[in-house]
Amino acid sequence: MAEPKHQIRALYTASTVTVYQAYRPEIGLPAVRDGRFPAAWQRNRMTWIKPSFLWMMYRCGWGSKDGQETVLAIEITREGFEWALKHACLAHYEHGLHHDRATWKRQLRRSPARVQWDPERDLHLQPLPHRSLQLGLTGEAAHRYADEWTVSITDITTLAHTIHDHVQDGDLTAARRLLPAERSYPVPDGGLDHLHW
């Protein structure tokens, strides 16, 4: 059965959801060591979190891109994640979803979170027909993410490299066995209506 075009797929527990980011070692390694983002992590900038492991691999090149060498799995509270979704605005104007472009721009300026839906990726990092959620946090949401929602931070760079090695060797079965067990995230009915077209 085909995947819904807009659906959050994530690794989650009863109380947390795992999102991914990649940073240079000066940010990533202290974050792992201390279980929280260091002072050098700028809370006043937009930060993008991704529940999809393979989309993160596409974005950071399996941890090979400059400034994205340390790949992190960040467990955050589901309460915080759902707060961000509730207070988010779609990152682009969509006719039929937004009343008009000016209204959307006002909403975007006021929103502490924004959503992009980008094509999900396969193990070769090729685009799939369904979409993957990217959640941008700014202002209040970025502060809450760093200081309230974060439960744990794990360095998964070695995992990323190992999966990539299996893909390069053509052993997709071994690669798939190591992927995080992402499944449909249970958003309340209508909970994403303001975030897709």
Side-chain angles (χ1 to χ4, degrees):
M1 192 171 72
E3 294 273 7
K5 182 177 181 181
H6 299 97
Q7 180 189 65
I8 300 171
R9 285 165 297 276
L11 176 66
Y12 62 90
T13 70
S15 60
T16 66
V17 57
T18 298
V19 296
Y20 302 98
Q21 295 191 290
Y23 289 101
R24 62 185 191 276
E26 305 91 273
I27 296 289
L29 296 181
V32 171
R33 182 192 65 220
D34 300 333
R36 65 192 308 269
F37 288 105
W41 190 86
Q42 297 181 2
R43 284 159 173 75
N44 295 321
R45 291 180 59 184
M46 173 80 69
T47 191
W48 289 88
I49 60 177
K50 300 134 184 101
S52 165
F53 176 84
L54 284 174
W55 204 93
M56 184 70 252
M57 295 307 102
Y58 167 72
R59 181 69 182 84
C60 71
W62 301 99
S64 67
K65 290 186 180 178
D66 187 42
Q68 299 187 62
E69 302 92 342
T70 307
V71 187
L72 305 180
I74 301 128
E75 256 195 311
I76 64 173
T77 65
R78 284 177 59 170
E79 183 181 11
F81 183 65
E82 291 168 15
W83 183 94
L85 290 173
K86 182 179 178 182
H87 292 85
C89 175
L90 198 61
H92 69 273
Y93 170 73
E94 192 63 42
H95 180 72
L97 178 64
H98 303 111
H99 180 65
D100 55 43
R101 196 173 292 273
T103 303
W104 164 74
K105 284 184 176 178
R106 280 195 302 274
Q107 184 183 351
L108 191 66
R109 279 196 301 270
R110 290 196 306 265
S111 296
R114 59 191 58 178
V115 160
Q116 288 183 187
W117 295 96
D118 296 302
E120 182 58 285
R121 301 284 158 166
D122 64 15
L123 276 166
H124 294 290
L125 306 185
Q126 295 303 303
L128 293 169
H130 53 280
R131 300 284 174 144
S132 177
L133 176 88
Q134 323 304 323
L135 184 57
L137 308 175
T138 189
E140 181 183 1
H143 282 265
R144 286 184 175 220
Y145 170 62
D147 300 325
E148 298 175 23
W149 301 343
T150 299
V151 174
S152 71
I153 302 177
T154 305
D155 185 346
I156 59 164
T157 309
T158 299
L159 174 65
H161 292 168
T162 301
I163 295 174
H164 186 214
D165 288 343
H166 285 314
V167 172
Q168 288 186 308
D169 291 342
D171 192 347
L172 299 188
T173 300
R176 282 192 193 94
R177 273 200 298 264
L178 295 175
L179 288 175
E182 295 172 4
R183 53 206 167 102
S184 175
Y185 186 84
V187 178
D189 283 349
L192 295 178
D193 287 354
H194 63 303
L195 295 175
H196 66 75
W197 58 100

mmCIF file of all heavy atoms in Angstrom, residues 3-49:
data_model
loop_
_atom_site.group_PDB
_atom_site.id
_atom_site.type_symbol
_atom_site.label_atom_id
_atom_site.label_comp_id
_atom_site.label_asym_id
_atom_site.label_seq_id
_atom_site.Cartn_x
_atom_site.Cartn_y
_atom_site.Cartn_z
ATOM 1 N N GLU A 3 2.396 4.878 0.701
ATOM 2 C CA GLU A 3 2.461 5.740 1.882
ATOM 3 C C GLU A 3 1.644 7.007 1.630
ATOM 4 O O GLU A 3 1.637 7.530 0.509
ATOM 5 C CB GLU A 3 3.915 6.152 2.153
ATOM 6 C CG GLU A 3 4.824 5.007 2.550
ATOM 7 C CD GLU A 3 4.790 4.747 4.039
ATOM 8 O OE1 GLU A 3 3.962 5.372 4.735
ATOM 9 O OE2 GLU A 3 5.570 3.912 4.491
ATOM 10 N N PRO A 4 0.943 7.543 2.663
ATOM 11 C CA PRO A 4 0.295 8.848 2.501
ATOM 12 C C PRO A 4 1.334 9.906 2.131
ATOM 13 O O PRO A 4 2.478 9.828 2.570
ATOM 14 C CB PRO A 4 -0.294 9.120 3.884
ATOM 15 C CG PRO A 4 -0.359 7.789 4.567
ATOM 16 C CD PRO A 4 0.755 6.977 4.008
ATOM 17 N N LYS A 5 0.935 10.856 1.309
ATOM 18 C CA LYS A 5 1.902 11.870 0.864
ATOM 19 C C LYS A 5 2.468 12.656 2.038
ATOM 20 O O LYS A 5 3.668 12.924 2.110
ATOM 21 C CB LYS A 5 1.236 12.828 -0.130
ATOM 22 C CG LYS A 5 2.206 13.873 -0.677
ATOM 23 C CD LYS A 5 1.562 14.778 -1.707
ATOM 24 C CE LYS A 5 2.559 15.790 -2.238
ATOM 25 N NZ LYS A 5 1.953 16.708 -3.224
ATOM 26 N N HIS A 6 1.604 13.063 2.969
ATOM 27 C CA HIS A 6 2.037 13.829 4.145
ATOM 28 C C HIS A 6 1.769 13.014 5.401
ATOM 29 O O HIS A 6 0.623 12.860 5.802
ATOM 30 C CB HIS A 6 1.298 15.165 4.235
ATOM 31 C CG HIS A 6 1.539 16.069 3.065
ATOM 32 N ND1 HIS A 6 0.658 16.150 2.007
ATOM 33 C CD2 HIS A 6 2.562 16.916 2.785
ATOM 34 C CE1 HIS A 6 1.120 17.020 1.123
ATOM 35 N NE2 HIS A 6 2.275 17.495 1.567
ATOM 36 N N GLN A 7 2.818 12.487 5.965
ATOM 37 C CA GLN A 7 2.693 11.691 7.178
ATOM 38 C C GLN A 7 4.013 11.787 7.930
ATOM 39 O O GLN A 7 5.082 11.692 7.322
ATOM 40 C CB GLN A 7 2.406 10.227 6.835
ATOM 41 C CG GLN A 7 2.266 9.306 8.042
ATOM 42 C CD GLN A 7 2.214 7.841 7.615
ATOM 43 O OE1 GLN A 7 3.179 7.302 7.082
ATOM 44 N NE2 GLN A 7 1.069 7.213 7.831
ATOM 45 N N ILE A 8 3.941 11.999 9.230
ATOM 46 C CA ILE A 8 5.168 12.006 10.030
ATOM 47 C C ILE A 8 5.520 10.561 10.362
ATOM 48 O O ILE A 8 4.713 9.837 10.929
ATOM 49 C CB ILE A 8 4.988 12.822 11.318
ATOM 50 C CG1 ILE A 8 4.627 14.269 10.994
ATOM 51 C CG2 ILE A 8 6.263 12.772 12.166
ATOM 52 C CD1 ILE A 8 4.214 15.085 12.200
ATOM 53 N N ARG A 9 6.713 10.159 9.966
ATOM 54 C CA ARG A 9 7.240 8.845 10.350
ATOM 55 C C ARG A 9 8.445 9.089 11.237
ATOM 56 O O ARG A 9 9.337 9.865 10.896
ATOM 57 C CB ARG A 9 7.616 8.037 9.107
ATOM 58 C CG ARG A 9 6.428 7.470 8.350
ATOM 59 C CD ARG A 9 6.789 7.007 6.966
ATOM 60 N NE ARG A 9 7.261 8.116 6.128
ATOM 61 C CZ ARG A 9 6.445 8.933 5.468
ATOM 62 N NH1 ARG A 9 5.138 8.768 5.532
ATOM 63 N NH2 ARG A 9 6.932 9.924 4.755
ATOM 64 N N ALA A 10 8.475 8.412 12.383
ATOM 65 C CA ALA A 10 9.515 8.697 13.365
ATOM 66 C C ALA A 10 9.748 7.507 14.272
ATOM 67 O O ALA A 10 8.895 6.615 14.389
ATOM 68 C CB ALA A 10 9.125 9.917 14.211
ATOM 69 N N LEU A 11 10.886 7.513 14.922
ATOM 70 C CA LEU A 11 11.176 6.597 16.020
ATOM 71 C C LEU A 11 10.651 7.276 17.281
ATOM 72 O O LEU A 11 11.051 8.398 17.597
ATOM 73 C CB LEU A 11 12.695 6.381 16.111
ATOM 74 C CG LEU A 11 13.201 5.516 17.260
ATOM 75 C CD1 LEU A 11 12.738 4.077 17.111
ATOM 76 C CD2 LEU A 11 14.735 5.589 17.316
ATOM 77 N N TYR A 12 9.737 6.605 17.994
ATOM 78 C CA TYR A 12 9.168 7.260 19.178
ATOM 79 C C TYR A 12 8.800 6.234 20.237
ATOM 80 O O TYR A 12 8.669 5.033 19.972
ATOM 81 C CB TYR A 12 7.953 8.122 18.806
ATOM 82 C CG TYR A 12 6.793 7.374 18.204
ATOM 83 C CD1 TYR A 12 5.783 6.837 19.006
ATOM 84 C CD2 TYR A 12 6.683 7.217 16.826
ATOM 85 C CE1 TYR A 12 4.707 6.156 18.453
ATOM 86 C CE2 TYR A 12 5.616 6.530 16.261
ATOM 87 C CZ TYR A 12 4.633 6.006 17.081
ATOM 88 O OH TYR A 12 3.568 5.324 16.527
ATOM 89 N N THR A 13 8.668 6.739 21.467
ATOM 90 C CA THR A 13 8.215 5.938 22.600
ATOM 91 C C THR A 13 6.925 6.567 23.116
ATOM 92 O O THR A 13 6.390 7.498 22.506
ATOM 93 C CB THR A 13 9.267 5.921 23.721
ATOM 94 O OG1 THR A 13 9.331 7.234 24.314
ATOM 95 C CG2 THR A 13 10.651 5.549 23.203
ATOM 96 N N ALA A 14 6.456 6.098 24.265
ATOM 97 C CA ALA A 14 5.240 6.664 24.839
ATOM 98 C C ALA A 14 5.421 8.131 25.221
ATOM 99 O O ALA A 14 4.445 8.883 25.263
ATOM 100 C CB ALA A 14 4.825 5.857 26.076
ATOM 101 N N SER A 15 6.663 8.562 25.472
ATOM 102 C CA SER A 15 6.869 9.938 25.956
ATOM 103 C C SER A 15 7.834 10.762 25.117
ATOM 104 O O SER A 15 7.908 11.979 25.291
ATOM 105 C CB SER A 15 7.368 9.904 27.403
ATOM 106 O OG SER A 15 8.593 9.191 27.487
ATOM 107 N N THR A 16 8.589 10.120 24.206
ATOM 108 C CA THR A 16 9.589 10.869 23.440
ATOM 109 C C THR A 16 9.499 10.565 21.955
ATOM 110 O O THR A 16 8.931 9.550 21.536
ATOM 111 C CB THR A 16 11.024 10.534 23.906
ATOM 112 O OG1 THR A 16 11.321 9.162 23.593
ATOM 113 C CG2 THR A 16 11.213 10.794 25.389
ATOM 114 N N VAL A 17 10.085 11.453 21.169
ATOM 115 C CA VAL A 17 10.244 11.237 19.731
ATOM 116 C C VAL A 17 11.682 11.608 19.396
ATOM 117 O O VAL A 17 12.247 12.546 19.974
ATOM 118 C CB VAL A 17 9.225 12.072 18.922
ATOM 119 C CG1 VAL A 17 9.336 13.554 19.215
ATOM 120 C CG2 VAL A 17 9.372 11.822 17.419
ATOM 121 N N THR A 18 12.297 10.835 18.487
ATOM 122 C CA THR A 18 13.689 11.080 18.108
ATOM 123 C C THR A 18 13.743 11.910 16.836
ATOM 124 O O THR A 18 13.064 11.606 15.850
ATOM 125 C CB THR A 18 14.435 9.751 17.897
ATOM 126 O OG1 THR A 18 14.438 9.030 19.135
ATOM 127 C CG2 THR A 18 15.872 9.990 17.448
ATOM 128 N N VAL A 19 14.555 12.960 16.884
ATOM 129 C CA VAL A 19 14.801 13.801 15.712
ATOM 130 C C VAL A 19 16.307 13.825 15.474
ATOM 131 O O VAL A 19 17.096 13.459 16.350
ATOM 132 C CB VAL A 19 14.242 15.224 15.899
ATOM 133 C CG1 VAL A 19 12.730 15.197 16.035
ATOM 134 C CG2 VAL A 19 14.880 15.935 17.089
ATOM 135 N N TYR A 20 16.688 14.261 14.278
ATOM 136 C CA TYR A 20 18.099 14.208 13.892
ATOM 137 C C TYR A 20 18.597 15.589 13.469
ATOM 138 O O TYR A 20 17.864 16.376 12.861
ATOM 139 C CB TYR A 20 18.301 13.206 12.746
ATOM 140 C CG TYR A 20 17.831 11.826 13.124
ATOM 141 C CD1 TYR A 20 16.566 11.373 12.735
ATOM 142 C CD2 TYR A 20 18.618 10.988 13.901
ATOM 143 C CE1 TYR A 20 16.106 10.114 13.106
ATOM 144 C CE2 TYR A 20 18.172 9.729 14.281
ATOM 145 C CZ TYR A 20 16.920 9.303 13.883
ATOM 146 O OH TYR A 20 16.464 8.061 14.264
ATOM 147 N N GLN A 21 19.865 15.842 13.811
ATOM 148 C CA GLN A 21 20.572 17.024 13.351
ATOM 149 C C GLN A 21 22.035 16.647 13.157
ATOM 150 O O GLN A 21 22.497 15.627 13.690
ATOM 151 C CB GLN A 21 20.459 18.174 14.363
ATOM 152 C CG GLN A 21 19.039 18.693 14.539
ATOM 153 C CD GLN A 21 19.000 19.993 15.331
ATOM 154 O OE1 GLN A 21 19.267 19.996 16.523
ATOM 155 N NE2 GLN A 21 18.671 21.084 14.660
ATOM 156 N N ALA A 22 22.772 17.449 12.422
ATOM 157 C CA ALA A 22 24.209 17.219 12.252
ATOM 158 C C ALA A 22 24.940 18.542 12.435
ATOM 159 O O ALA A 22 24.485 19.589 11.943
ATOM 160 C CB ALA A 22 24.497 16.633 10.876
ATOM 161 N N TYR A 23 26.046 18.481 13.147
ATOM 162 C CA TYR A 23 26.807 19.679 13.503
ATOM 163 C C TYR A 23 28.302 19.442 13.329
ATOM 164 O O TYR A 23 28.758 18.293 13.254
ATOM 165 C CB TYR A 23 26.551 20.052 14.968
ATOM 166 C CG TYR A 23 25.170 20.588 15.237
ATOM 167 C CD1 TYR A 23 24.182 19.781 15.786
ATOM 168 C CD2 TYR A 23 24.852 21.908 14.939
ATOM 169 C CE1 TYR A 23 22.915 20.273 16.036
ATOM 170 C CE2 TYR A 23 23.590 22.416 15.181
ATOM 171 C CZ TYR A 23 22.624 21.594 15.735
ATOM 172 O OH TYR A 23 21.371 22.083 15.971
ATOM 173 N N ARG A 24 29.047 20.503 13.356
ATOM 174 C CA ARG A 24 30.500 20.364 13.434
ATOM 175 C C ARG A 24 30.838 19.804 14.824
ATOM 176 O O ARG A 24 30.073 19.990 15.778
ATOM 177 C CB ARG A 24 31.193 21.692 13.167
ATOM 178 C CG ARG A 24 30.894 22.793 14.147
ATOM 179 C CD ARG A 24 31.553 24.111 13.714
ATOM 180 N NE ARG A 24 31.497 25.109 14.772
ATOM 181 C CZ ARG A 24 30.481 25.908 15.016
ATOM 182 N NH1 ARG A 24 29.400 25.830 14.252
ATOM 183 N NH2 ARG A 24 30.512 26.772 15.998
ATOM 184 N N PRO A 25 31.971 19.137 14.965
ATOM 185 C CA PRO A 25 32.305 18.489 16.239
ATOM 186 C C PRO A 25 32.322 19.433 17.440
ATOM 187 O O PRO A 25 31.981 19.010 18.551
ATOM 188 C CB PRO A 25 33.703 17.900 15.986
ATOM 189 C CG PRO A 25 33.758 17.695 14.501
ATOM 190 C CD PRO A 25 32.956 18.821 13.908
ATOM 191 N N GLU A 26 32.682 20.698 17.227
ATOM 192 C CA GLU A 26 32.752 21.639 18.356
ATOM 193 C C GLU A 26 31.394 21.868 19.010
ATOM 194 O O GLU A 26 31.313 22.275 20.170
ATOM 195 C CB GLU A 26 33.329 22.995 17.903
ATOM 196 C CG GLU A 26 34.676 22.917 17.221
ATOM 197 C CD GLU A 26 34.561 22.764 15.713
ATOM 198 O OE1 GLU A 26 34.452 21.610 15.253
ATOM 199 O OE2 GLU A 26 34.574 23.790 15.000
ATOM 200 N N ILE A 27 30.329 21.635 18.257
ATOM 201 C CA ILE A 27 28.970 21.731 18.807
ATOM 202 C C ILE A 27 28.469 20.339 19.198
ATOM 203 O O ILE A 27 27.957 20.119 20.305
ATOM 204 C CB ILE A 27 27.998 22.358 17.784
ATOM 205 C CG1 ILE A 27 28.386 23.797 17.476
ATOM 206 C CG2 ILE A 27 26.553 22.283 18.300
ATOM 207 C CD1 ILE A 27 28.135 24.783 18.581
ATOM 208 N N GLY A 28 28.616 19.380 18.287
ATOM 209 C CA GLY A 28 28.025 18.068 18.488
ATOM 210 C C GLY A 28 28.614 17.286 19.643
ATOM 211 O O GLY A 28 27.883 16.675 20.430
ATOM 212 N N LEU A 29 29.936 17.291 19.776
ATOM 213 C CA LEU A 29 30.558 16.466 20.814
ATOM 214 C C LEU A 29 30.255 16.966 22.227
ATOM 215 O O LEU A 29 29.911 16.156 23.108
ATOM 216 C CB LEU A 29 32.061 16.357 20.563
ATOM 217 C CG LEU A 29 32.442 15.638 19.253
ATOM 218 C CD1 LEU A 29 33.950 15.552 19.095
ATOM 219 C CD2 LEU A 29 31.796 14.258 19.166
ATOM 220 N N PRO A 30 30.336 18.277 22.514
ATOM 221 C CA PRO A 30 29.917 18.740 23.841
ATOM 222 C C PRO A 30 28.437 18.469 24.122
ATOM 223 O O PRO A 30 28.056 18.182 25.268
ATOM 224 C CB PRO A 30 30.201 20.246 23.807
ATOM 225 C CG PRO A 30 31.243 20.422 22.762
ATOM 226 C CD PRO A 30 30.941 19.369 21.728
ATOM 227 N N ALA A 31 27.595 18.538 23.081
ATOM 228 C CA ALA A 31 26.168 18.262 23.270
ATOM 229 C C ALA A 31 25.964 16.819 23.723
ATOM 230 O O ALA A 31 25.170 16.537 24.628
ATOM 231 C CB ALA A 31 25.402 18.536 21.975
ATOM 232 N N VAL A 32 26.693 15.894 23.107
ATOM 233 C CA VAL A 32 26.599 14.484 23.494
ATOM 234 C C VAL A 32 27.139 14.289 24.906
ATOM 235 O O VAL A 32 26.524 13.602 25.745
ATOM 236 C CB VAL A 32 27.373 13.606 22.484
ATOM 237 C CG1 VAL A 32 27.472 12.174 22.980
ATOM 238 C CG2 VAL A 32 26.696 13.660 21.121
ATOM 239 N N ARG A 33 28.278 14.899 25.185
ATOM 240 C CA ARG A 33 28.917 14.735 26.494
ATOM 241 C C ARG A 33 28.016 15.231 27.627
ATOM 242 O O ARG A 33 27.870 14.575 28.658
ATOM 243 C CB ARG A 33 30.244 15.513 26.504
ATOM 244 C CG ARG A 33 31.052 15.389 27.794
ATOM 245 C CD ARG A 33 32.177 16.397 27.816
ATOM 246 N NE ARG A 33 31.669 17.762 27.860
ATOM 247 C CZ ARG A 33 32.203 18.785 27.172
ATOM 248 N NH1 ARG A 33 33.252 18.587 26.380
ATOM 249 N NH2 ARG A 33 31.675 19.993 27.273
ATOM 250 N N ASP A 34 27.395 16.385 27.419
ATOM 251 C CA ASP A 34 26.630 17.028 28.494
ATOM 252 C C ASP A 34 25.135 16.735 28.436
ATOM 253 O O ASP A 34 24.402 17.083 29.369
ATOM 254 C CB ASP A 34 26.852 18.543 28.453
ATOM 255 C CG ASP A 34 28.315 18.923 28.633
ATOM 256 O OD1 ASP A 34 29.054 18.140 29.268
ATOM 257 O OD2 ASP A 34 28.723 19.973 28.109
ATOM 258 N N GLY A 35 24.674 16.146 27.343
ATOM 259 C CA GLY A 35 23.248 15.873 27.210
ATOM 260 C C GLY A 35 22.415 17.116 26.971
ATOM 261 O O GLY A 35 21.191 17.081 27.096
ATOM 262 N N ARG A 36 23.071 18.187 26.585
ATOM 263 C CA ARG A 36 22.363 19.436 26.242
ATOM 264 C C ARG A 36 23.247 20.252 25.318
ATOM 265 O O ARG A 36 24.469 20.053 25.288
ATOM 266 C CB ARG A 36 21.973 20.228 27.495
ATOM 267 C CG ARG A 36 23.132 20.752 28.309
ATOM 268 C CD ARG A 36 22.680 21.258 29.672
ATOM 269 N NE ARG A 36 21.580 22.204 29.567
ATOM 270 C CZ ARG A 36 21.740 23.522 29.456
ATOM 271 N NH1 ARG A 36 22.945 24.047 29.411
ATOM 272 N NH2 ARG A 36 20.694 24.305 29.391
ATOM 273 N N PHE A 37 22.657 21.168 24.583
ATOM 274 C CA PHE A 37 23.434 21.958 23.640
ATOM 275 C C PHE A 37 24.320 22.962 24.384
ATOM 276 O O PHE A 37 23.888 23.570 25.365
ATOM 277 C CB PHE A 37 22.513 22.686 22.668
ATOM 278 C CG PHE A 37 21.881 21.753 21.670
ATOM 279 C CD1 PHE A 37 20.553 21.385 21.793
ATOM 280 C CD2 PHE A 37 22.620 21.224 20.618
ATOM 281 C CE1 PHE A 37 19.965 20.511 20.889
ATOM 282 C CE2 PHE A 37 22.045 20.352 19.705
ATOM 283 C CZ PHE A 37 20.721 19.996 19.844
ATOM 284 N N PRO A 38 25.566 23.128 23.921
ATOM 285 C CA PRO A 38 26.496 24.028 24.606
ATOM 286 C C PRO A 38 26.145 25.496 24.374
ATOM 287 O O PRO A 38 25.304 25.824 23.534
ATOM 288 C CB PRO A 38 27.848 23.684 23.963
ATOM 289 C CG PRO A 38 27.490 23.205 22.588
ATOM 290 C CD PRO A 38 26.179 22.483 22.739
ATOM 291 N N ALA A 39 26.818 26.355 25.099
ATOM 292 C CA ALA A 39 26.571 27.802 24.985
ATOM 293 C C ALA A 39 26.816 28.299 23.565
ATOM 294 O O ALA A 39 26.178 29.255 23.110
ATOM 295 C CB ALA A 39 27.453 28.555 25.976
ATOM 296 N N ALA A 40 27.718 27.643 22.842
ATOM 297 C CA ALA A 40 28.025 28.064 21.473
ATOM 298 C C ALA A 40 26.865 27.796 20.506
ATOM 299 O O ALA A 40 26.835 28.346 19.403
ATOM 300 C CB ALA A 40 29.280 27.341 20.982
ATOM 301 N N TRP A 41 25.920 26.938 20.920
ATOM 302 C CA TRP A 41 24.744 26.675 20.095
ATOM 303 C C TRP A 41 23.814 27.879 20.202
ATOM 304 O O TRP A 41 23.349 28.230 21.278
ATOM 305 C CB TRP A 41 24.039 25.411 20.593
ATOM 306 C CG TRP A 41 22.955 24.892 19.694
ATOM 307 C CD1 TRP A 41 23.101 24.066 18.634
ATOM 308 C CD2 TRP A 41 21.542 25.156 19.797
ATOM 309 N NE1 TRP A 41 21.877 23.790 18.057
ATOM 310 C CE2 TRP A 41 20.907 24.442 18.754
ATOM 311 C CE3 TRP A 41 20.760 25.924 20.661
ATOM 312 C CZ2 TRP A 41 19.535 24.476 18.564
ATOM 313 C CZ3 TRP A 41 19.384 25.958 20.466
ATOM 314 C CH2 TRP A 41 18.780 25.239 19.432
ATOM 315 N N GLN A 42 23.551 28.523 19.093
ATOM 316 C CA GLN A 42 22.843 29.807 19.119
ATOM 317 C C GLN A 42 21.331 29.618 19.173
ATOM 318 O O GLN A 42 20.709 29.196 18.194
ATOM 319 C CB GLN A 42 23.256 30.652 17.913
ATOM 320 C CG GLN A 42 24.738 30.995 17.935
ATOM 321 C CD GLN A 42 25.150 31.857 16.761
ATOM 322 O OE1 GLN A 42 24.340 32.243 15.923
ATOM 323 N NE2 GLN A 42 26.426 32.183 16.707
ATOM 324 N N ARG A 43 20.772 29.952 20.319
ATOM 325 C CA ARG A 43 19.339 29.775 20.521
ATOM 326 C C ARG A 43 18.496 30.794 19.764
ATOM 327 O O ARG A 43 17.283 30.631 19.675
ATOM 328 C CB ARG A 43 19.015 29.853 22.027
ATOM 329 C CG ARG A 43 19.402 28.591 22.773
ATOM 330 C CD ARG A 43 19.570 28.842 24.262
ATOM 331 N NE ARG A 43 19.783 27.595 24.995
ATOM 332 C CZ ARG A 43 20.913 26.907 24.992
ATOM 333 N NH1 ARG A 43 21.957 27.354 24.277
ATOM 334 N NH2 ARG A 43 21.036 25.794 25.676
ATOM 335 N N ASN A 44 19.115 31.823 19.242
ATOM 336 C CA ASN A 44 18.360 32.861 18.541
ATOM 337 C C ASN A 44 18.310 32.640 17.034
ATOM 338 O O ASN A 44 17.767 33.462 16.307
ATOM 339 C CB ASN A 44 18.943 34.242 18.856
ATOM 340 C CG ASN A 44 18.781 34.582 20.329
ATOM 341 O OD1 ASN A 44 17.751 34.274 20.921
ATOM 342 N ND2 ASN A 44 19.790 35.187 20.919
ATOM 343 N N ARG A 45 18.885 31.517 16.570
ATOM 344 C CA ARG A 45 18.826 31.201 15.148
ATOM 345 C C ARG A 45 17.790 30.110 14.894
ATOM 346 O O ARG A 45 17.449 29.336 15.773
ATOM 347 C CB ARG A 45 20.195 30.717 14.661
ATOM 348 C CG ARG A 45 21.257 31.798 14.639
ATOM 349 C CD ARG A 45 22.586 31.251 14.160
ATOM 350 N NE ARG A 45 22.477 30.679 12.818
ATOM 351 C CZ ARG A 45 23.477 30.072 12.190
ATOM 352 N NH1 ARG A 45 24.651 29.947 12.779
ATOM 353 N NH2 ARG A 45 23.316 29.586 10.972
ATOM 354 N N MET A 46 17.311 30.054 13.659
ATOM 355 C CA MET A 46 16.417 28.969 13.257
ATOM 356 C C MET A 46 17.197 27.657 13.260
ATOM 357 O O MET A 46 18.311 27.584 12.762
ATOM 358 C CB MET A 46 15.872 29.254 11.850
ATOM 359 C CG MET A 46 15.061 28.133 11.244
ATOM 360 S SD MET A 46 13.357 28.063 11.851
ATOM 361 C CE MET A 46 12.678 29.551 11.106
ATOM 362 N N THR A 47 16.630 26.624 13.858
ATOM 363 C CA THR A 47 17.239 25.296 13.830
ATOM 364 C C THR A 47 16.225 24.315 13.270
ATOM 365 O O THR A 47 15.042 24.381 13.613
ATOM 366 C CB THR A 47 17.739 24.885 15.232
ATOM 367 O OG1 THR A 47 18.548 23.708 15.120
ATOM 368 C CG2 THR A 47 16.602 24.612 16.209
ATOM 369 N N TRP A 48 16.679 23.429 12.389
ATOM 370 C CA TRP A 48 15.784 22.478 11.730
ATOM 371 C C TRP A 48 15.999 21.084 12.286
ATOM 372 O O TRP A 48 17.139 20.600 12.351
ATOM 373 C CB TRP A 48 16.022 22.475 10.215
ATOM 374 C CG TRP A 48 15.543 23.723 9.560
ATOM 375 C CD1 TRP A 48 16.238 24.889 9.387
ATOM 376 C CD2 TRP A 48 14.235 23.960 9.019
ATOM 377 N NE1 TRP A 48 15.448 25.826 8.756
ATOM 378 C CE2 TRP A 48 14.220 25.285 8.519
ATOM 379 C CE3 TRP A 48 13.085 23.184 8.899
ATOM 380 C CZ2 TRP A 48 13.095 25.838 7.910
ATOM 381 C CZ3 TRP A 48 11.964 23.740 8.294
ATOM 382 C CH2 TRP A 48 11.975 25.053 7.804
ATOM 383 N N ILE A 49 14.917 20.435 12.699
ATOM 384 C CA ILE A 49 14.976 19.068 13.200
ATOM 385 C C ILE A 49 14.224 18.155 12.239
ATOM 386 O O ILE A 49 13.259 18.583 11.602
ATOM 387 C CB ILE A 49 14.443 18.953 14.648
ATOM 388 C CG1 ILE A 49 12.984 19.415 14.743
ATOM 389 C CG2 ILE A 49 15.324 19.754 15.609
ATOM 390 C CD1 ILE A 49 12.365 19.250 16.137
#
